[in-house]
Amino acid sequence: MSLDEIDIKLLHLLQADSKQTTKALSNKLNLSVTAVYERVKKLEQNGIISNYVALIEKRKVDKAFVAFCHVKLVQHSQEYVVKFEREVRKLDEVLECYHISGDYDYLLKVLVKNMEAFREFMVKKLTTIDHIGSTHSMFMINEVKYTTAITL
């Protein structure tokens, strides 16, 4: 599906606030409510809009400690990769996991309450996954930029 200028504007508006009504969107785009509704449905059906979520302020829910963990597997066999990825998906503390190139195999973004909770996560959860050779962790000092919006 190719996106036209109106689709791009619609996606921009939805990324800024997905709770906007179809009527509010139609006013901003100078389209009928039906036209906006049909465009949104088309974007959803084509997988361009995959989900709607609420973004939660980390500090308000006492989960403001952000760590980034590099993980190196002992081997790069399919069995080890599949098992690691299956197990890491089960860890609630892991918000994001990327299979990466370079010195390490994976980069994890971990969100917990504090350093003690991070240690607990490392000792009792992450490092109990088989085939991890080594880890390297870094901690967020300040969040300079955070966005979920994709520029189109």
Side-chain angles (χ1 to χ4, degrees), residues 6 11 30 38 40 59 75 77 79 86-88 102-103 114 116 121 129 132-133 138 144-145 148:
I6 295 171
L11 288 167
N30 294 320
E38 289 173 358
V40 170
R59 290 184 195 338
Q75 280 186 3
S77 70
E79 175 193 348
R86 182 176 53 243
E87 294 301 315
V88 83
D103 293 336
N114 53 30
E116 183 179 325
F121 164 77
I129 298 174
I132 292 179
M138 299 166 287
V144 177
K145 179 179 179 180
T148 60

Side-chain angles (χ1 to χ4, degrees), residues 1-146:
M1 174 182 172
S2 71
L3 301 174
D4 64 18
E5 187 177 320
I6 295 171
D7 290 328
I8 291 170
K9 286 180 184 175
L10 176 57
L11 288 167
H12 176 74
L13 291 167
L14 288 171
Q15 286 185 102
D17 179 8
S18 67
K19 286 190 73 170
Q20 295 180 72
T21 64
T22 308
K23 182 163 180 52
L25 292 167
S26 72
N27 290 334
K28 292 175 183 173
L29 296 169
N30 294 320
L31 293 173
S32 70
V33 171
T34 303
V36 170
Y37 175 81
E38 289 173 358
R39 281 180 179 266
V40 170
K41 285 296 166 207
K42 185 175 161 189
L43 292 166
E44 290 170 349
Q45 289 167 352
N46 283 286
I48 293 169
I49 296 175
S50 62
N51 208 354
Y52 296 92
V53 300
L55 300 177
I56 297 172
E57 179 57 47
K58 294 182 288 292
R59 290 184 195 338
K60 300 279 185 177
V61 294
D62 208 16
K63 297 275 181 148
F65 190 88
V66 179
F68 297 93
C69 295
H70 286 111
V71 176
K72 187 182 289 188
L73 299 182
V74 177
Q75 280 186 3
H76 299 103
S77 70
Q78 182 179 1
E79 175 193 348
Y80 289 9
V81 167
V82 168
K83 183 171 192 315
F84 174 79
E85 291 178 3
R86 182 176 53 243
E87 294 301 315
V88 83
R89 280 187 193 100
K90 297 175 187 175
L91 301 175
D92 293 335
E93 296 88 348
V94 176
L95 298 183
E96 300 172 41
C97 175
Y98 301 98
H99 194 175
I100 58 173
S101 64
D103 293 336
Y104 288 87
D105 300 314
Y106 291 91
L107 175 62
L108 312 180
K109 182 178 180 181
V110 178
L111 185 66
V112 292
K113 181 178 180 175
N114 53 30
M115 178 63 86
E116 183 179 325
F118 180 72
R119 183 181 188 288
E120 180 102 352
F121 164 77
M122 288 297 289
V123 171
K124 294 189 176 174
K125 292 186 178 182
L126 185 64
T127 57
T128 63
I129 298 174
D130 290 338
H131 316 303
I132 292 179
S134 64
T135 62
H136 175 80
S137 299
M138 299 166 287
F139 309 105
M140 179 185 78
I141 295 170
N142 185 37
E143 190 170 82
V144 177
K145 179 179 179 180
Y146 171 77

